[in-house]
Amino acid sequence: EVQLVESGGGLVQPGRSLKLSCAASGFTFSDYAMAWVRQAPKKGLEWVATIIYDGSSTYYRDSVKGRFTISRDNAKSTLYLQMDSLRSEDTATYYCARDLPLFAYWGQGTLVTVSS
Amino acid sequence: DIQMTQSPASLSASLGETVTIECRASEDIYNGLAWYQQKPGKSPQLLIYNANSLHTGVPSRFSGSGSGTQYSLKINSLQSEDVASYFCQQYYNYPPLTFGSGTKLEIK
């Protein structure tokens, strides 16, 4: 059974950093592209970033370019999102999701709140 | 970037009814469209891909159709467990991958 378990969310002040993790199991992690998708409270879904199976290519939405870094450790079957220079508008539940370009599997999400 | 306009924003229907949700793309997306269901407090789940292909395990009362810039999701014989928000997503041209704003479905 495919499982994606996010962690690392919490309350952080504007301008600070946070690193999210997503532990994958139930499939060969190194075979799949992975992504982060976020959802602000009571709002819609917003794609954040994607990394291909071997980590050699990454893609970001414009609003996070230069601030967020997606990475993966295939030996640990873990996906990461390093978030720097956080803003209030980054407040959201962050989901990791498998596959590209559509998302067949999702984690349960981790809430990031950016507030002073 | 391709913009996805979804309607209606909310919908209330009776059990057993048929409901339709629409999604319009800002340009032709050549059936590169998926639909997701998100139940309250849960993560999204894939329903439909390639505009009209049912994902594994999805009940057959769900169906997708459309072409070009216009797409729709139909739910036949509405059940109580269908209460959820529904989102479309284009994947014909990316990055960025873009979603519709969502439709909240409730039971009358």
Side-chain angles (χ1 to χ4, degrees), chain A residues 39 45 95 101-103 106-107, chain B residues 36 38 43-44 89 91 94 97:
Chain A
Q39 186 172 33
L45 300 168
Y95 297 99
L102 48 86
F103 308 114
W106 299 66
Chain B
Y36 298 87
Q38 186 178 30
S43 54
Q89 179 221 332
Y91 52 89
Y94 63 94
L97 295 160

Side-chain angles (χ1 to χ4, degrees), chain A residues 13-27:
Chain A
Q13 292 179 328
R16 304 298 290 264
S17 299
L18 204 60
K19 187 172 186 176
L20 307 182
S21 299
C22 171
S25 61
F27 64 100

Side-chain angles (χ1 to χ4, degrees), chain A residues 12-108:
Chain A
V12 61
Q13 292 179 328
R16 304 298 290 264
S17 299
L18 204 60
K19 187 172 186 176
L20 307 182
S21 299
C22 171
S25 61
F27 64 100
T28 304
F29 183 72
S30 57
D31 283 350
Y32 292 89
M34 299 292 297
W36 290 97
V37 179
R38 68 185 180 185
Q39 186 172 33
K42 306 290 188 186
K43 298 292 185 184
L45 300 168
E46 187 173 80
W47 168 78
V48 175
T50 288
I51 186 166
I52 67 168
Y53 71 101
D54 63 355
S56 61
S57 291
T58 57
Y59 307 92
Y60 300 91
R61 69 178 303 104
D62 285 348
S63 61
V64 308
K65 273 181 194 172
R67 299 189 300 123
F68 290 11
T69 303
I70 188 171
S71 63
R72 63 192 298 158
D73 184 334
N74 284 347
K76 295 182 177 179
S77 296
T78 303
L79 176 72
Y80 302 100
L81 186 67
Q82 175 68 44
M83 303 185 293
D84 299 323
S85 304
L86 281 161
R87 306 168 180 168
S88 58
E89 55 263 37
D90 297 318
T91 293
T93 295
Y94 285 73
Y95 297 99
C96 75
R98 199 194 84 173
D99 294 315
L100 180 74
L102 48 86
F103 308 114
Y105 296 94
W106 299 66
Q108 85 289 349

Side-chain angles (χ1 to χ4, degrees), chain B residues 65-85:
Chain B
S65 64
S67 63
T69 62
Q70 298 274 103
Y71 298 87
S72 61
L73 172 70
K74 187 164 77 170
I75 311 172
N76 289 317
S77 302
L78 192 65
Q79 307 290 306
S80 57
E81 59 263 34
D82 299 334
V83 168
S85 291

Side-chain angles (χ1 to χ4, degrees), chain B residues 3-83:
Chain B
Q3 310 301 318
M4 303 301 294
T5 302
Q6 191 173 336
S7 61
S10 63
L11 183 54
S12 183
S14 301
L15 294 174
E17 266 192 55
T18 295
V19 299
T20 300
I21 298 168
E22 309 278 347
C23 209
R24 186 181 78 247
S26 57
E27 61 186 79
D28 196 328
I29 57 171
Y30 299 93
N31 282 17
L33 185 99
W35 290 97
Y36 298 87
Q37 176 192 63
Q38 186 178 30
K39 295 185 178 181
K42 301 293 187 183
S43 54
Q45 300 296 314
L46 178 64
L47 293 175
I48 302 278
Y49 62 96
N50 292 347
N52 55 26
S53 297
L54 211 60
H55 185 54
T56 305
V58 175
S60 58
R61 64 178 182 275
F62 291 90
S63 63
S65 64
S67 63
T69 62
Q70 298 274 103
Y71 298 87
S72 61
L73 172 70
K74 187 164 77 170
I75 311 172
N76 289 317
S77 302
L78 192 65
Q79 307 290 306
S80 57
E81 59 263 34
D82 299 334
V83 168

